[in-house]
């Protein structure tokens, strides 16, 4: 397995968290689980294989260019054949810069990104298939993304405002932090929930829970602290509260996570 993260160029660093390349090392198919991350992403399938994601009781093949909405619960996927995936991950609020839809419409969905972004993205995908050099591919995607920023220029101030709140929430794993945000920013709780959901896909409370879970996931994967310490470090009331929420987002207890986590989830947990 190859997993490589690439930082975006300076002009896109406020909008794109990272690019990444994933290559499977065999044709062997395997099952995996994706956990909530608090972010959205787009993935170009550039290999001979494909991904399948579970919806209801069935697995469906994902499109060649995937837009992943906010995942709020464990999502079962299958890797079929030898896959090469080139993706980019938004910050929690920054996907809203690039298209007009309310991003909460995509929650727990993997949709065809060319239907959302339009035919120019399909053209980009075909060019990526013909391009061998990874750095050249990343530059091509960056040029495309930069060209889309002007589409939503009128919304930039509101999105930046939500970005400031996201940064505040990510720095403090405490329920009190959420309770104080409305008064601190002079905005009603109802309006805050509406704006936050529109531009991140998640209400503030759920974003806070996923962010807290991701912090605990990093600590569990590092395997350097007792679970009680992990629980309090991540802002849970107690160990029982931590275990319940960890299982909600992964399907596993913290003690059993290491035995079930795939190599790719171990990599993502530490990123």
């Amino acid at each position: 397995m190859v997993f490589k993260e690439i930082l975006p160029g300076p002009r896109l660093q406020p909008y794109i968290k990272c690019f990444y390349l994933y290559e499977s090392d065999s044709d062997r198919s395997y099952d995996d689980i994706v956990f909530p991350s608090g972010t959205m992403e787009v993935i170009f399938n550039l290999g001979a294989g494909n991904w399948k994601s579970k919806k209801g009781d069935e697995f469906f093949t994902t499109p060649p260019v995937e837009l992943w909405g906010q995942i709020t619960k464990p999502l079962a996927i299958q890797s079929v054949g030898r896959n090469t995936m080139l993706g980019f991950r938004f910050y929690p609020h920054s996907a809203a810069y690039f298209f007009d839809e309310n991003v909460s419409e995509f929650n727990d969905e993997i949709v065809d990104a060319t239907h959302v972004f339009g035919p120019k993205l399909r053209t980009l995908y075909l060019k990526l298939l013909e391009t061998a050099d990874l750095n050249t591919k990343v530059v091509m995607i960056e040029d495309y993304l930069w060209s889309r920023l002007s589409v939503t220029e009128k919304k930039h101030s509101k999105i930046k405002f939500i970005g400031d709140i996201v940064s505040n929430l990510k720095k403090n794993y405490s329920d009190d932090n959420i309770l104080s945000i409305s008064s601190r920013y002079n905005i009603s709780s109802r309006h805050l929930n509406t704006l936050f959901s529109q531009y991140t896909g998640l209400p503030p409370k759920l974003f806070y829970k996923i962010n807290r879970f991701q912090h605990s996931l990093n600590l569990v994967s590092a395997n350097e602290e007792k679970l009680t310490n992990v629980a309090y470090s991540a802002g849970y009331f107690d160990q029982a509260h931590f275990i319940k929420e960890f299982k909600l987002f992964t399907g596993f207890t913290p003690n059993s996570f290491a035995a079930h986590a795939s190599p790719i989830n171990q990599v993502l947990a530490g990123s």
Side-chain angles (χ1 to χ4, degrees):
M1 181 195 76
V2 174
F3 183 84
K4 180 180 182 181
E5 285 195 357
I6 304 135
L7 290 177
R11 62 180 178 173
L12 283 177
Q13 285 179 7
Y15 312 102
I16 303 298
K17 184 177 182 180
C18 70
F19 293 90
Y20 61 87
L21 175 70
Y22 166 76
E23 294 179 324
S24 54
D25 52 9
S26 76
D27 294 330
R28 181 180 59 85
S29 299
Y30 65 88
D31 294 342
D32 206 345
I33 298 177
V34 176
F35 308 139
S37 67
T39 59
M40 296 174 64
E41 56 194 87
V42 172
I43 304 173
F44 297 91
N45 300 323
L46 303 177
N50 57 64
W51 288 103
K52 294 185 176 184
S53 63
K54 192 172 186 179
K55 193 167 186 178
D57 295 326
E58 296 184 59
F59 281 91
F60 298 90
T61 300
T62 58
V65 189
E66 310 169 15
L67 171 64
W68 285 60
Q70 290 276 13
I71 303 301
T72 65
K73 54 192 175 185
L75 173 65
I77 61 172
Q78 292 178 340
S79 174
V80 181
R82 189 179 293 269
N83 278 297
T84 299
M85 322 289 285
L86 178 59
F88 56 88
R89 188 170 294 124
F90 297 105
Y91 291 104
H93 66 289
S94 63
Y97 281 110
F98 295 93
F99 48 89
D100 293 330
E101 287 83 353
N102 183 329
V103 297
S104 64
E105 295 177 11
F106 305 111
N107 284 6
D108 294 308
E109 298 284 350
I110 302 173
V111 302
D112 189 330
T114 64
H115 292 169
V116 179
F117 289 90
K120 289 185 178 180
L121 186 64
R122 173 69 179 174
T123 300
L124 172 62
Y125 169 68
L126 295 175
K127 290 180 178 178
L128 292 173
L129 289 173
E130 298 171 351
T131 304
D133 181 69
L134 175 60
N135 290 331
T136 302
K137 289 178 179 178
V138 170
V139 170
M140 291 166 62
I141 299 172
E142 286 191 324
D143 287 343
Y144 169 79
L145 290 171
W146 186 251
S147 73
R148 282 199 62 89
L149 272 175
S150 60
V151 172
T152 58
E153 191 171 346
K154 292 181 180 179
K155 296 194 302 184
H156 282 205
S157 60
K158 287 184 179 179
I159 299 172
K160 185 179 182 302
F161 171 67
I162 295 301
D164 291 341
I165 296 177
V166 165
S167 297
N168 193 305
L169 285 173
K170 287 178 74 71
K171 292 174 184 176
N172 189 339
Y173 304 108
S174 167
D175 283 323
D176 293 338
N177 194 35
I178 292 179
L179 296 175
S180 65
I181 281 177
S182 294
S183 58
R184 186 183 310 160
Y185 287 92
N186 194 29
I187 183 174
S188 70
S189 297
R190 183 176 181 179
H191 190 44
L192 174 62
N193 270 277
T194 299
L195 284 178
F196 205 91
S197 296
Q198 180 179 353
Y199 294 129
T200 72
L202 304 171
K205 185 73 171 181
L206 181 54
F207 175 82
Y208 159 76
K209 287 184 177 181
I210 291 175
N211 187 53
R212 179 172 61 185
F213 154 70
Q214 279 289 326
H215 180 59
S216 71
L217 181 61
N218 291 337
L219 296 175
V220 169
S221 297
N223 197 29
E224 295 175 353
E225 295 188 45
K226 295 180 179 179
L227 292 185
T228 301
N229 294 337
V230 170
Y232 289 124
S233 295
Y236 292 97
F237 298 126
D238 52 33
Q239 188 171 327
H241 180 211
F242 161 53
I243 292 172
K244 180 180 179 181
E245 199 157 283
F246 192 94
K247 189 172 182 179
L248 174 69
F249 288 129
T250 66
F252 308 114
T253 65
N255 277 327
S256 64
F257 170 73
H260 291 91
S262 67
I264 187 64
N265 268 324
Q266 293 283 21
V267 169
L268 292 175
S271 64

